[in-house]
Amino acid sequence: MSRQPARSLLPLLRRRGLHDSTTPRPFTSVSAPPDATPSTSFPWPPHSPPPTPPPPDPAGARWSASWSPASPPLPPFTASQLRTAVSSIAASLLALPGPEPDPVPDLQAHSFPTLLAVSPLASLELLSLLRPKPRLGLAVFSFRRTLSPPPAIGEFALAISLASRAHEPDAAALLFADATATHSPDQALYNALMAAYMQNGLLDNCLETFHALERDRRCGPPNVDSYNILIALFGRSLLVDHMEATLRSLDASGHPRTIGTYNAIIAGYLTAWMWDKMEAVFQEMLSGHVAPDATTHLLMLRGYAHAGMIYKMEQAYERAYKHAGKVDIVHIRAMLCAYCKFDHVDRIQKIEELLQRLGPDDYRPWLYVLLIRVYAQEGLVDGMELRIAEALQRNVIVTTVQVMRSIISSYFQCDAVDKLAHFVQQAEEAGWKLCRSLYHCKMVMYGKHQRLEEMHRVLDEMECFKFDRTKKTFWIMHKAYVSCGRRTEANTILGMMWKHGFGLPSSVSVQ
């Protein structure tokens, strides 16, 4: 399925008259922090329950949209009531149809302006709940900027994070410029912009932002989140030396390493396929004061899967499942890939157990190809044909000769010439990678069953797909005729070999 290119968010910000700052933009592109390095400096709303929370009242979650600061003060409410009201708005917005719906009518219908006037924390809570749809969150923030009170710096930091998730670095830089024009920036704002640049692979811009943070006297020095973002940036860019140097700078700054630091380091070594160092960092965590979390175990699972360390991969899976109660589809696919590529006891059984966790849309073309090959290698023709049928139904095209030869070998070992012939016909029609071995195997199997007319027709198929006859082609035919006792035709084949310049094998004489 083709995807339409995402619409830029810059016209949206300008169209609503929200970018009226005359302050020059110090940065021009953006990236966002990895999941392994969460920022701890965003001013999130409080999540501690009240001493005696009243039962939530859906009707009380809305207030009159005609309320104004000159009106009598509204009654106070608890954090749980605020969360209930905002959750209702977020659920309604996330249910809107279309890729980029207009959230304004829904926000007004749910009296969001009134809720915001009562508690500015409502905006922070709502933006955080809209992370699954970052473009929708940015549209909400655009509307929120037209309301009173003006957005706080924490809201700008969240909006920059949303722009990062939407892969809109220019929009993130624009939001940063607007925030610094009206607020004194803090570390969280700089970190949000650094993370946005990092997520979008803009290394130079991320470094420039880090150095700007160091020079900005209005902020304190870079905190541990700032260093974590740089570590993740260098790890993603395979700049391991820079990543390790940044880690030493973090240690020299006096900031203690956090779980985000260790996860970023492990992710960097994983990307560089440096399994020994990845393992050493993990063992350091186990023996230190920072305990691994679910993200750590999932990173180790991926590393072990790529390295073919199946036993350790299974241990990491158990630990991740124990921490989070589930393992996402991405890591299930990584485990399937490892089982398909590396020999292991009962791997087919384990593969089929993991496949039950996948839905129809969770497969990838490369997974179909790997499954076909592993069933072929195990000699399980029925399972192989099932995967071939699924791949053909999904219009997956096999482009590697190694996979095709595995399929050929499986049919040959089972002496299933008719199944092989049917597969070759399907492969020709589907545009799969054809090779001369496909046709040679058919000829050998037809000759073995003394089906000589069908063996000859294979020559026409080879000619149709531009495969020239080789010495091996004639030699297969010669052996087929000899095995049937038809010496005259066998000698004719030897003459054809001589005519084509292949010569005769030293062990063969014309009789």
Side-chain angles (χ1 to χ4, degrees), residues 39-216:
S39 175
T40 59
S41 52
F42 287 159
W44 296 102
H47 287 276
S48 57
T52 54
D57 180 11
R62 303 184 185 184
W63 291 268
S64 171
S66 61
W67 183 88
S68 68
S71 304
L74 291 170
F77 57 94
T78 65
S80 63
Q81 289 175 314
L82 169 67
R83 212 166 294 122
T84 299
V86 174
S87 296
S88 174
I89 299 175
S92 177
L93 291 175
L94 292 173
L96 291 174
E100 295 186 26
D102 183 7
V104 175
D106 223 53
L107 289 170
Q108 292 175 333
H110 284 78
S111 303
F112 176 71
T114 303
L115 181 62
L116 181 67
V118 174
S119 175
L121 291 177
S123 177
L124 282 170
E125 183 76 15
L126 180 59
L127 292 176
S128 66
L129 293 176
L130 295 179
R131 284 178 177 271
K133 291 188 176 182
R135 290 180 171 273
L136 177 63
L138 285 169
V140 169
F141 184 68
S142 294
F143 173 69
R144 185 264 173 274
R145 294 178 69 180
T146 65
L147 306 175
S148 296
I153 194 167
E155 296 176 71
F156 276 104
L158 267 176
I160 291 173
S161 177
L162 290 171
S164 169
R165 294 171 70 90
H167 303 290
E168 287 281 355
D170 289 338
L174 180 61
L175 289 167
F176 181 87
D178 288 349
T180 55
T182 56
H183 297 282
S184 177
D186 60 6
Q187 294 165 329
L189 191 69
Y190 274 102
N191 289 343
L193 184 59
M194 284 179 59
Y197 285 130
M198 182 270 294
Q199 287 283 17
N200 288 275
L202 301 171
L203 189 148
D204 291 339
N205 298 87
C206 186
L207 287 174
E208 180 186 350
T209 308
F210 180 80
H211 295 315
L213 171 59
E214 290 181 312
R215 295 189 302 266
D216 197 332

Side-chain angles (χ1 to χ4, degrees), residues 365-433:
W366 57 264
L367 181 55
Y368 285 108
V369 176
L370 288 179
L371 290 173
I372 291 171
R373 186 175 185 182
V374 73
Y375 279 97
Q377 290 173 340
E378 296 290 335
L380 302 173
V381 176
D382 291 339
M384 178 187 73
E385 290 185 326
L386 175 62
R387 303 305 169 190
I388 290 173
E390 291 174 346
L392 291 171
Q393 185 179 5
R394 294 274 180 170
N395 296 320
V396 175
I397 299 178
V398 176
T399 60
T400 55
V401 174
Q402 292 82 358
V403 175
M404 300 298 285
R405 287 177 176 167
S406 296
I407 297 172
I408 296 169
S409 298
S410 182
Y411 282 125
F412 183 79
Q413 292 170 3
C414 297
D415 197 21
V417 60
D418 293 323
K419 288 186 175 182
L420 174 62
H422 179 63
F423 166 72
V424 173
Q425 180 182 359
Q426 288 179 312
E428 291 171 347
E429 294 173 353
W432 287 20
K433 180 70 175 181

